[in-house]
Amino acid sequence: MNSTIQPAISVRGLTKSYGALQVLKGIDLDLPAGEVLAIIGPSGSGKSTLIRCLNMMEVLTTGDLRFQGQRVSTKFKDKGDAIGTATLRRKVGMCFQHFNLFPHLTVLENVTKGPTVVLKEDRKAADNYARELLGKVGLSDKAESYPSQLSGGQKQRVAIARSLAMKPDVMLFDEVTSALDPELVGEVLEVVRELARGGMTMVLVTHEMAFAAEVADRVVFIDQGVIAEEGPPEKVMKDPSSDRLKQFLSRFNA
Amino acid sequence: MYNWDFYTVLQSLDLFLLGMKMTALYTVGSILLGITFGLMAAFARLSQWWALRLIARTYQEIFRCTPLLVQILWAFYALPLIIGVNIPNYIAGLLMLSLYVGSFYGEIFRGGINAIDKGQREAAMAVGMSGAQAMYHIIMPQAIKKMLPAFINQSVIQVKNTSLLYAISIAELTYMTYVVNGETYRPLEAYTLTAVLYFAMLFPLTQFADHFERRMRRSD
Ligand SMILES: Nc1ncnc2c1ncn2[C@@H]1O[C@H](COP(=O)(O)OP(=O)(O)OP(=O)(O)O)[C@@H](O)[C@H]1O
Ligand SMILES: [Mg+2]
């Protein structure tokens, strides 16, 4: 498989139902390596469900997920020509709206846990790399702190460092600034912006329209479980074609 | 006015001490076995297979809803009639004590695990951990902290429950007191001394538990 030609992630015919409720109704999506993709849409339209399908946090009801051209199975381990969720999640990091830091571990241990447990890296190497990453997100001085001692913005930056410690090829962000006080949003967006500059392949579910317009190469508008519109941010956000999207965007320009 | 005479019963202090030793042994043994049963019950209850859940649930309800004394007597006097083999009193006693406390531990463990936000498991899985790794490295350390007060409480009760072994002539503290009383005819002193000895074993334990809980709260 040649990962430079294959999209980092691609889905075909993705549907997802919870019981009788069909949340995603047939999504086809390619994420080329190096692209920053923003997913926008009304509340309840299925954005979280979609991004969570991309690392198999949610099992697809129907459809096909590929990572760098390889089929992904729902099993934990690789089998045959399909990779398992273990391999997928090592390569595809995810950050959550509510950070989900491990409260019983220090900031440093939060970052090193994945590499030492999953990648079997030795402590010393993991520590060094974790400190380097904490430096990058501006939290060198918090390595020995516990999550409860941090602000929301700091927590989210630790969570990003925790994901980056796995040296992922793709990062998924699900509304990582939605739970933050307005004055703390900027410091987290700055870290994401820096990642984008570094060429990281990313999917951002966000309500920060200005930020999406600034960093995204492409914007996808999800409405009622389908991709209702997509294109470069200038097009999708400045010149929407559907009424639904116009209506959705108008709420942010008030 | 009653004439207190501890001297007579203290002549048999060695019997009391032997009884305490046995009480401690049955406590530790049944707690260790009980933790094993409790963990199995908790994980079975949390599993995705309904048959496992049902078996664990049945076990827990039977042992939580019948008196321990009846369980002990049943294992010693009734069970041998069914299986046709005599069961030594120490096996019947240890087994029933363990199964009994295990059924309660099971609920404590399950509650502790359930109390951990499911985002913790998701975050662990998101860095590629397996379910077992997430349980061991992320969920359990937090759950243990949450369940510790209830666990210690149940274990304190367990120390006292070993006294029921007296009914099948196991030489723990209460039984020994009964023996000493038979020899000395000094029930007031004998049973008072026993109560004091139980208290002396347990009071430090509850104090430690309180202290520990306060310390835990501080680190949150
Ligand atoms: N585990 C679940 N079980 C049942 N229904 C669910 C589950 N997760 C999500 N849903 C439903 O699926 C729909 C889409 O949810 P989703 O979280 O993907 O929306 P969203 O676009 O991320 O919304 P928001 O902007 O509010 O985060 C909603 O109707 C939601 O109630
Ligand atoms: Mg969402």
Side-chain angles (χ1 to χ4, degrees):
Chain A
M1 289 295 160
N2 191 331
S3 59
T4 55
I5 300 173
Q6 297 285 356
I9 293 180
S10 76
V11 285
R12 287 291 173 275
L14 162 60
T15 73
K16 174 71 190 179
S17 304
Y18 295 106
L21 176 71
Q22 192 176 46
V23 177
L24 298 177
K25 300 169 182 165
I27 302 255
D28 297 325
L29 189 67
D30 283 330
L31 179 71
E35 184 178 78
V36 177
L37 174 72
I39 300 179
I40 61 172
S43 183
S45 57
K47 306 181 296 297
S48 293
T49 307
L50 172 57
I51 200 171
R52 288 163 58 82
C53 283
L54 299 185
N55 70 345
M56 281 281 179
M57 214 57 122
E58 299 290 345
V59 176
L60 328 194
T61 304
T62 66
D64 188 42
L65 172 68
R66 282 172 188 269
F67 176 74
Q68 297 177 349
Q70 283 184 290
R71 207 164 50 79
V72 183
S73 79
T74 55
K75 301 273 182 303
F76 184 68
K77 294 209 166 90
D78 302 347
K79 189 153 179 256
D81 61 350
I83 62 169
T85 56
T87 305
L88 177 72
R89 290 175 192 156
R90 230 177 295 179
K91 295 290 181 187
V92 181
M94 176 170 236
C95 292
F96 306 86
Q97 183 174 356
H98 296 288
F99 334 125
N100 303 355
L101 290 184
F102 307 133
H104 62 302
L105 302 177
T106 64
V107 164
L108 187 70
E109 290 165 338
N110 263 275
V111 181
T112 57
K113 207 68 188 172
T116 51
V117 171
V118 176
L119 303 178
K120 315 281 182 223
E121 273 182 25
D122 74 67
R123 254 242 94 85
K124 197 93 195 74
D127 276 4
N128 287 340
Y129 189 51
R131 285 185 194 283
E132 184 186 325
L133 288 171
L134 287 174
K136 273 192 185 147
V137 300
L139 291 171
S140 294
D141 54 328
K142 297 289 183 191
E144 322 304 333
S145 303
Y146 281 88
S148 61
Q149 299 165 313
L150 304 181
S151 73
Q154 292 171 330
K155 282 182 191 164
Q156 194 58 286
R157 287 185 279 149
V158 173
I160 295 172
R162 175 175 69 180
S163 293
L164 292 175
M166 298 298 290
K167 306 192 172 82
D169 293 340
V170 178
M171 285 285 286
L172 309 175
F173 294 93
D174 188 3
E175 296 199 36
V176 287
T177 58
S178 296
L180 300 178
D181 292 337
E183 72 269 23
L184 301 177
V185 168
E187 63 190 62
V188 172
L189 292 186
E190 185 49 41
V191 171
V192 178
R193 186 180 286 122
E194 202 49 52
L195 280 176
R197 267 193 219 119
M200 177 64 81
T201 311
M202 296 195 283
V203 179
L204 317 167
V205 171
T206 184
H207 284 130
E208 301 286 334
M209 292 304 146
F211 182 70
E214 172 202 329
V215 300
D217 301 306
R218 184 160 60 118
V219 177
V220 160
F221 173 60
I222 303 274
D223 189 30
Q224 295 173 342
V226 296
I227 296 180
E229 211 164 322
E230 69 175 300
E234 331 47 281
K235 171 75 183 69
V236 172
M237 302 182 117
K238 301 282 147 39
D239 182 23
S241 35
S242 67
D243 286 341
R244 295 281 301 187
L245 180 52
K246 275 179 200 153
Q247 201 182 28
F248 173 73
L249 289 171
S250 69
R251 264 178 277 152
F252 293 90
N253 305 327
Chain B
M1 183 66 198
Y2 185 83
N3 197 6
W4 289 84
D5 176 14
F6 274 104
Y7 181 75
T8 318
V9 293
L10 281 173
Q11 296 292 83
S12 311
L13 189 62
D14 54 333
L15 293 182
F16 285 102
L17 292 180
L18 187 68
M20 275 177 84
K21 204 176 103 189
M22 294 297 272
T23 292
L25 270 168
Y26 277 93
T27 303
V28 172
S30 66
I31 285 179
L32 290 179
L33 274 173
I35 290 174
T36 315
F37 292 137
L39 282 175
M40 292 191 326
F43 284 118
R45 289 286 298 275
L46 294 166
S47 99
Q48 60 196 66
W49 292 293
W50 67 266
L52 272 184
R53 291 201 302 269
L54 183 70
I55 292 168
R57 182 86 201 252
T58 308
Y59 151 59
Q60 286 185 295
E61 294 310 330
I62 288 174
F63 279 87
R64 293 199 309 157
C65 301
T66 54
L68 177 55
L69 181 57
V70 172
Q71 293 165 19
I72 290 171
L73 293 172
W74 190 85
F76 187 59
Y77 293 111
L79 186 58
L81 298 178
I82 300 176
I83 59 174
V85 190
N86 271 330
I87 302 176
N89 61 351
Y90 59 92
I91 290 189
L94 183 64
L95 192 67
M96 288 298 121
L97 276 178
S98 306
L99 285 168
Y100 177 81
V101 78
S103 67
F104 285 94
Y105 281 162
E107 281 310 277
I108 294 172
F109 297 161
R110 191 172 68 94
I113 291 169
N114 272 341
I116 306 305
D117 181 60
K118 80 181 201 315
Q120 290 293 307
R121 185 183 151 85
E122 289 194 346
M125 305 285 256
V127 291
M129 286 191 207
S130 65
Q133 287 171 328
M135 185 55 78
Y136 181 79
H137 292 282
I138 305 302
I139 316 272
M140 269 312 208
Q142 297 179 57
I144 286 171
K145 216 170 128 168
K146 280 216 158 57
M147 61 179 104
L148 211 59
F151 175 82
I152 292 177
N153 193 37
Q154 189 64 49
S155 305
V156 166
I157 297 173
Q158 183 70 356
V159 179
K160 297 187 285 185
N161 277 346
T162 58
S163 66
L164 295 174
L165 295 175
Y166 122 99
I168 53 172
S169 310
I170 289 176
E172 44 68 54
L173 184 52
T174 304
Y175 182 79
M176 285 311 210
T177 316
Y178 173 78
V179 169
V180 172
N181 183 41
E183 289 172 359
T184 61
Y185 303 106
R186 284 273 165 198
L188 184 57
E189 289 84 353
Y191 286 110
T192 304
L193 179 60
T194 294
V196 169
L197 291 175
Y198 275 112
F199 187 87
M201 283 191 279
L202 287 173
F203 187 66
L205 212 61
T206 56
Q207 290 317 100
F208 170 76
D210 284 357
H211 169 80
F212 199 77
E213 205 191 329
R214 268 196 303 275
R215 236 191 48 199
M216 287 293 204
R217 253 203 305 270
R218 240 193 335 252
S219 80
D220 283 339

